[in-house]
C-alpha cells in the first residue's frame, strides 16, 4: 500500500494486497472463528417440533343480523377466535402438564411455574380467512413434542 494515500482512496486492490501480506494471521483468525462456531453449534441440543391442524366448525346462531346497528351492544368473539383463546389459556396448559406428567420430566415441583416454559414451547397460529388453527410444540424429545400437541388438540 502506498502510505501517501488518504484512507478514503483505498481500493479493493489495496485491501487484497494487505490480506495477501498477512495471510497467516487471516488464516489463523478465520480458523479459530470457524472452529469455535462449529463447536458451539455441535453442543446445542436438537429440538424436535410436532404440528397439528384443527378445523373449527362455525356454529350458525340463527340470529338475524341487522344491516345497520344504531345502538351500542357488546361484541363477542367468533368461534375461531374463541377456540384460539381457549388453546392459549393457562388452564389448558395446566391440564396438558398433568396429562404429560411434566413435573417429573422437567424436574419442576410447582405446577403453576410449568405454564411459562410450556407456553414458550408451544404455538397457536390462526390462518387468515380460514377456519384452521395450527398447533406446534417443540421439545428435545420427539415423543414429548408429539404428546404435547396431542394433548393440546
Amino acid at each position: 500500500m502506498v502510505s501517501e494515500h488518504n484512507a478514503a482512496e483505498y481500493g479493493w486492490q489495496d485491501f487484497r494486497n494487505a490480506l495477501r501480506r498477512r495471510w497467516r494471521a487471516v488464516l489463523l483468525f478465520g480458523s479459530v472463528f470457524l472452529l469455535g462456531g462449529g463447536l458451539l453449534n455441535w453442543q446445542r441440543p436438537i429440538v424436535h417440533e410436532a404440528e397439528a391442524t384443527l378445523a373449527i366448525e362455525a356454529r350458525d346462531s340463527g340470529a338475524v343480523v341487522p344491516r345497520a346497528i344504531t345502538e351500542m351492544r357488546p361484541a363477542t368473539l367468533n368461534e375461531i377466535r374463541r377456540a384460539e383463546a381457549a388453546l392459549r389459556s393457562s388452564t389448558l396448559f395446566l391440564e396438558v402438564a398433568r396429562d404429560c406428567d411434566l413435573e417429573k420430566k422437567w424436574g419442576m415441583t410447582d405446577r403453576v411455574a410449568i405454564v411459562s416454559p410450556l407456553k414458550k414451547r408451544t404455538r397457536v397460529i390462526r390462518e387468515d380467512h380460514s377456519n384452521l388453527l395450527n398447533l406446534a410444540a417443540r421439545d428435545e424429545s420427539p415423543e414429548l413434542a408429539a404428546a404435547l400437541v396431542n394433548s393440546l388438540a
Side-chain angles (χ1 to χ4, degrees), residues 116-134:
S116 178
L118 186 57
K119 282 186 176 183
K120 290 178 184 175
R121 293 177 187 224
T122 58
R123 286 182 295 143
V124 178
I125 300 171
R126 180 179 45 87
E127 292 186 12
D128 291 336
H129 309 295
S130 73
N131 63 340
L132 299 178
L133 287 175
N134 292 326

Side-chain angles (χ1 to χ4, degrees), residues 12-101:
W12 289 106
Q13 188 69 25
D14 297 326
F15 182 70
R16 186 179 65 84
N17 289 337
L19 288 180
R20 182 182 281 175
R21 273 190 254 131
R22 294 173 180 89
W23 68 270
R24 289 179 187 92
V26 171
L27 182 65
L28 176 70
F29 287 122
S31 299
V32 167
F33 284 119
L34 185 65
L35 290 174
L39 182 65
L40 289 175
N41 194 24
W42 177 65
Q43 290 180 345
R44 194 173 59 187
I46 297 173
V47 177
H48 300 277
E49 183 172 276
E51 294 183 357
T53 302
L54 298 178
I56 307 299
E57 301 256 341
R59 288 183 281 182
D60 187 20
S61 63
V64 177
V65 178
R67 293 207 179 252
I69 300 173
T70 57
E71 62 202 35
M72 297 293 289
R73 63 182 186 147
T76 59
L77 295 174
N78 62 18
E79 293 298 321
I80 297 169
R81 291 186 187 262
R82 188 176 293 129
E84 181 183 10
L87 285 170
R88 291 183 180 180
S89 71
S90 296
T91 306
L92 179 65
F93 283 117
L94 285 173
E95 291 177 16
V96 169
R98 187 195 64 219
D99 290 345
C100 295
D101 199 23

